Amino acid sequence: MIARGMVRKMRTQPTSPVTYHLRLGDELLPVNPRIGRGLTLAFDGEIHCVHCGRTVKKTFHQGYCYPCFTTLAETDRCLVRPELCHHHLGTCRDPAWGDEHCMRPHTVYLANSSGLKVGITRGREPAGRWIDQGAAQGLSIRVAETRLESGLVEVALKDHVADKTAWQRILKGAPDPVDLEAERDRILAEHEAEHPGAALAGRHDHEASPVAIEYPVAEYPLKVRSHDLDKEPRLEGTLLGAKGQYLIFDGAVINVRKYQGYVLEASFEE
């Protein structure tokens, strides 16, 4: 089977294990049934901006041309650092986009990916975000009314828990299980002890329960080697699994989201 098209991040469904589809143009190619079979990804040099569609030589912010990267609200620095959201100051690059995406409830969560971390995501269904990060467990801990508020909570808790994921570690296997509810209580207690009377924004998510996530991985690599399509435009091997936004081959791993906008040809062994 051969398919060709512009790559977007893989589509996932929170099943057990997670269901993956590789997106090439309008095609959705099932990944799970093809684990254990051969897969070739070939890049011929064609790249398009995922927003405006223009042909480019390189992308920024995982798929955008430089003009879009420097002008769109969804590529502003506050998307990476939500505590810098400036919509309320009237300086958002696109206030209508900000109204829809930032001025709405956000979830502050704990996740166990390469270890325990705190993070945020828009809305009240964080499972998709946990899957994109390759987390094995997740727990919503607070609900904030805006992106800015959720970012301020995340910053306040970073003194007690990491806010980054070590991507190499998530591809070496599942992390040791963590009691997320106990860790939540510890982190909040430590914050209160250090900042008595300084209430966190938002409200405690009393309805949340820990979620466990299983990934379709037949075998994890002993050594994680990331494939670079710009240097090696062809990746060929046996597909061992998918985790986060990575496809795991027997000789390398590839971050599909990194190559959004690239036009790839995928050849699946039937």
Side-chain angles (χ1 to χ4, degrees):
M1 176 182 178
I2 298 178
R4 184 177 185 276
M6 189 178 77
V7 175
R8 293 278 193 164
K9 78 170 195 172
M10 289 188 286
R11 183 168 294 178
T12 61
Q13 294 171 278
T15 52
S16 186
V18 176
T19 298
Y20 279 87
H21 285 84
L22 180 62
R23 300 168 65 189
L24 295 181
D26 295 329
E27 296 227 41
L28 283 176
L29 307 175
V31 170
N32 298 44
R34 294 184 168 94
I35 292 173
R37 302 180 184 180
L39 170 60
T40 300
L41 298 177
F43 169 52
D44 66 3
E46 184 178 349
I47 309 173
H48 297 275
C49 173
V50 296
H51 180 77
C52 70
R54 67 187 293 178
T55 301
V56 294
K57 293 184 178 180
K58 65 179 293 186
T59 59
F60 300 83
H61 198 75
Q62 299 177 332
Y64 296 85
C65 66
Y66 188 73
C68 287
F69 169 64
T70 56
T71 57
L72 294 175
E74 57 262 45
T75 56
D76 204 349
R77 62 176 182 167
C78 46
L79 267 292
V80 178
R81 296 185 59 189
E83 73 276 13
L84 299 180
C85 177
H86 47 98
H87 183 282
H88 62 292
L89 299 176
T91 54
C92 182
R93 291 178 175 180
D94 183 348
W97 189 94
D99 287 340
E100 180 180 355
H101 292 86
C102 302
M103 305 305 289
R104 55 178 293 188
H106 279 60
T107 297
V108 183
Y109 63 80
L110 293 179
N112 182 18
S113 48
S114 58
L116 189 65
K117 73 177 292 290
V118 64
I120 73 159
T121 190
R122 185 172 63 249
R124 294 288 291 115
E125 299 293 337
R129 179 67 170 162
W130 298 336
I131 290 170
D132 280 352
Q133 294 178 341
Q137 298 170 274
L139 174 66
S140 170
I141 60 173
R142 293 191 76 78
V143 179
E145 292 304 313
T146 66
R147 184 172 183 83
L148 174 61
E149 285 188 0
S150 68
L152 294 174
V153 174
E154 182 183 33
V155 168
L157 299 182
K158 284 196 297 185
D159 290 339
H160 312 286
V161 61
D163 68 329
K164 305 294 183 184
T165 299
W167 67 268
Q168 298 95 332
R169 289 180 62 188
I170 73 168
L171 299 173
K172 290 183 177 181
D176 293 333
V178 173
D179 185 336
L180 293 180
E181 292 174 308
E183 288 298 313
R184 173 200 61 200
D185 295 343
R186 174 189 65 81
I187 292 164
L188 294 177
E190 289 180 358
H191 176 267
E192 172 62 23
E194 290 189 10
H195 306 279
L200 292 169
R203 65 185 188 276
H204 182 70
D205 194 351
H206 295 283
E207 299 178 359
S209 298
V211 173
I213 303 170
E214 180 186 355
Y215 295 90
V217 179
E219 181 181 345
Y220 285 99
L222 295 176
K223 183 177 181 181
V224 177
R225 183 180 77 85
S226 180
H227 189 89
D228 187 338
L229 287 175
D230 293 307
K231 296 179 179 179
E232 301 176 72
R234 186 179 179 88
L235 173 57
E236 184 174 6
T238 300
L239 181 63
L240 299 181
K243 189 174 185 183
Q245 279 294 317
Y246 286 86
L247 290 176
I248 303 171
F249 288 73
D250 54 347
V253 301
I254 186 167
N255 181 353
V256 175
R257 191 168 191 170
K258 175 182 177 181
Y259 295 103
Q260 289 191 117
Y262 283 53
V263 176
L264 300 184
E265 182 179 274
S267 303
F268 285 97
E269 178 186 274
E270 294 296 338

